[in-house]
Amino acid sequence: MIGRRTGWALLLSCQLLAVAAQAQEAKKPVVRQNVPLDSIRLSDPFILADAKTKQYYMTGTGGLLWKSPDMKRWSGPYTVAQPDPTSWMGPKPIIWAAEIHPYQGKYYYFATFTNQAVKIDTVQGTPIERRACHVLVSNQPGGPYVPVPGGDATYLPANKPTLDGTLWVDKDQKPYLVYCYEWLQNQNGTIEKIQLKPDLSGTIGTGQVLFRASDAPWSRENPRSGPARPNKVTDGPYLFRTGTGRLGMIWTSWIYDVYTQGVAYSTSGTLDGPWVQEKDPITPPNYGHGMLFRDLNGKLLMAAHSHQDIKGHYHRVPHLFSVDVSGNKLVLGKPYRP
């Protein structure tokens, strides 16, 4: 869902991943049992540790779900997303970066949906497909996830490609959708916020920019001419609080052709920022699109995927890391094996 370097190389990788995701959606998945985590091919992993069912639920790009009682062995993939085929998404949308958030007794499925049949813009000769963050709902963590009753037809403007939406309840106790406005259109990807309705059935007002891809001191890309410059890509925002109450956000971009995740902190302690980027990345090279969760025993972990380019094909696998946020900043620990 994001590219590698600059210009056409970035666009080509976006298209390749879209084709792969579409192929995954086109065929009915074969459910497997007792699959170890490092044998699962999955981008943008998101893990919900559900205390009610005492199960782990993992989703991500592709719109499929994996289940496990202990994170050692997984069953799946299961099809759980059931968007409205008559909506703007069309009958077979590509699904990216799905997340499952418990909220007020229900489970909400935040995901990016792409309708390749609809073009919303052309930038520098490149057609921009209809892509946007949207929310589905279920009474069970394992789905099925369907449109929110009475919900908005769209959560974000139809003429803007948005992706990687996540949920955050800020200090004002209001829910917000935090998402990326894609670099393909604005040429300098942003991370933005918009207020959600109290029941998450839609949005209120307009989006506000939190920061831009070029704000990161560590991101780099090689232009066709001239010196290196900041990368255009914003990807995978996820918010957290430290033990001191500091608000942080992990997010991903690139250092040349290396997939890289950094962290920013809000000086106000709220989404409004201002946001200050840490100088150095937070994860090892070629790991990114992370999220934080506590396992059923209360241990804080990060789920992220590793990224390898093998003869032009992306190989992405979920991984776990220990995490410490008890102090004033996020400290990444060692790889974790359940």
Side-chain angles (χ1 to χ4, degrees), residues 128-143:
I128 308 298
E129 297 169 346
R130 179 77 189 272
R131 177 179 301 123
C133 305
H134 205 84
V135 181
L136 306 178
V137 67
S138 177
N139 291 321
Q140 304 294 332

Side-chain angles (χ1 to χ4, degrees), residues 180-198:
C180 299
Y181 173 23
E182 195 167 28
W183 70 272
L184 287 172
Q185 188 178 54
N186 65 18
Q187 297 299 297
N188 187 6
T190 60
I191 292 181
E192 306 185 0
K193 72 160 188 174
I194 191 169
Q195 186 179 336
L196 287 160
K197 295 178 180 179

